């Protein structure tokens, strides 16, 4: 995949990525409009989001509830059509804040979280579309239900009247992503789900060709991240 130069602006990067999505969709004989680009702005300041907004981007992703709460309320005042996706693990004690500040949840992965979300949806009257996260690589350090448990968990979420709209996965970093994307698509189809949140900066074109409806792209839009050094 061709990456934009480090000097490219956010707007130029977004243009390049949109074209790559369109090309991948055309290869798969899909409508490019069926793929939502979620710009993952974790660790980047609000100024970077403003640049993306100016370039027409409206869907954004954050890993942490607190970062979303700090960054987006002011941006929503000027861009009320902004859609905020929670793409990182959600702790049950953050459910109330997540439901209040986000619009979509991509990381529904366990019974305790499903139960808390159902309670908060009923209490608040806000019902956020939810993706069930599947740990396709069965990695012990990674969130998500196991593939063999996905059908039962989806059924349990539906029994709680949760608005499950699709599935999400993050393939193991060292493995070819295609089999993981294909597995997620297979699980979705047999459960009557038509939305797939899969594909990141390094593999989103492959994900689009294998049915992704949401691709979560961060560094290819905003540049490399600099994380604080461990103490």
């Amino acid at each position: 995949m061709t990456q934009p130069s480090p000097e490219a602006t956010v707007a130029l990067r977004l243009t390049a990525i949109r074209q790559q999505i369109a090309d991948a969709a055309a290869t798969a004989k899909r409508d490019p409009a069926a793929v939502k680009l979620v710009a993952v702005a974790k660790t980047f300041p609000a100024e970077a989001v403003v640049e993306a907004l100016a370039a027409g981007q409206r869907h954004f992703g954050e890993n942490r509830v607190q970062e979303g709460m700090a960054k987006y309320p002011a941006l929503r005042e000027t861009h009320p059509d902004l859609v905020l996706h929670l793409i990182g693990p959600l702790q049950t004690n953050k459910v109330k804040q997540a439901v209040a500040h986000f619009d979509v949840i991509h990381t529904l992965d366990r019974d305790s979280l499903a139960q808390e979300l159902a309670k908060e949806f009923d209490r608040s009257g806000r019902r956020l579309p939810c993706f069930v996260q599947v740990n396709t690589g069965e990695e012990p350090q990674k969130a998500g239900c196991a593939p063999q448990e996905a059908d039962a968990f989806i059924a349990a979420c539906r029994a709680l009247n949760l608005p499950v709209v699709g599935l999400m996965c993050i393939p193991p970093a060292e493995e070819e992503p295609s089999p993981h994307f294909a597995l997620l698509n297979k699980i979705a189809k047999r459960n009557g789900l038509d939305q797939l949140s899969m594909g990141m900066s390094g593999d989103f074109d492959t994900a689009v060709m294998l049915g992704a409806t949401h691709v979560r792209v961060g560094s290819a839009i905003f540049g490399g991240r600099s994380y604080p050094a461990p103490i």
Side-chain angles (χ1 to χ4, degrees):
M1 184 185 299
T2 304
Q3 295 288 351
S5 71
E7 295 78 22
T9 64
V10 167
L12 285 173
R13 289 168 179 262
L14 279 167
T15 298
I17 290 162
R18 288 169 184 149
Q19 186 59 55
Q20 286 176 266
I21 289 172
D23 292 345
T27 300
K29 296 181 169 55
R30 297 184 62 204
D31 180 0
V35 183
K36 285 188 175 68
L37 172 58
V38 179
V40 180
K42 66 176 184 180
T43 77
F44 289 100
E47 289 77 13
V49 177
V50 169
E51 283 188 69
L53 285 164
Q57 181 65 25
R58 290 297 180 268
H59 289 260
F60 294 88
E62 291 289 345
N63 269 43
R64 297 173 65 246
V65 174
Q66 299 95 313
E67 189 168 353
M69 291 170 62
K71 198 184 295 182
Y72 291 88
L75 296 172
R76 286 188 189 273
E77 291 180 13
T78 51
H79 296 87
D81 56 343
L82 187 156
V83 181
L84 188 56
H85 300 250
L86 181 63
I87 62 169
L90 176 56
Q91 298 172 325
T92 53
N93 65 351
K94 295 288 195 300
V95 162
K96 183 175 181 179
Q97 295 166 322
V99 172
H101 290 272
F102 286 77
D103 302 299
V104 186
I105 293 174
H106 289 241
T107 51
L108 173 54
D109 67 344
R110 60 197 187 280
D111 289 330
S112 59
L113 178 57
Q115 290 162 10
E116 287 301 316
L117 281 170
K119 290 177 190 174
E120 185 57 25
F121 288 168
D122 288 344
R123 189 200 69 79
S124 67
R126 275 176 63 81
R127 302 187 64 77
L128 278 54
C130 295
F131 289 78
V132 166
Q133 183 174 355
V134 182
N135 187 348
T136 55
E138 300 188 63
E139 299 173 274
Q141 80 282 9
K142 193 173 284 183
C145 65
Q148 63 272 21
E149 296 169 359
D151 293 0
F153 182 59
I154 292 165
C157 291
R158 285 171 166 163
L160 290 168
N161 200 29
L162 292 176
V164 175
V165 297
L167 304 181
M168 179 269 226
C169 76
I170 305 171
E174 70 283 358
E175 293 185 18
E176 163 61 40
S178 297
H180 296 273
F181 297 155
L183 173 60
L184 198 72
N185 198 337
K186 182 179 178 181
I187 296 170
K189 283 180 176 174
R190 70 173 181 244
N191 283 282
L193 297 168
D194 60 4
Q195 297 191 46
L196 295 169
S197 172
M198 59 189 197
M200 298 187 289
S201 287
D203 56 20
F204 66 84
D205 54 347
T206 301
V208 169
M209 287 188 279
L210 288 168
T213 59
H214 295 67
V215 293
R216 311 178 307 272
V217 180
S219 57
I221 295 172
F222 297 110
R225 292 187 177 87
S226 55
Y227 293 96
I231 297 174

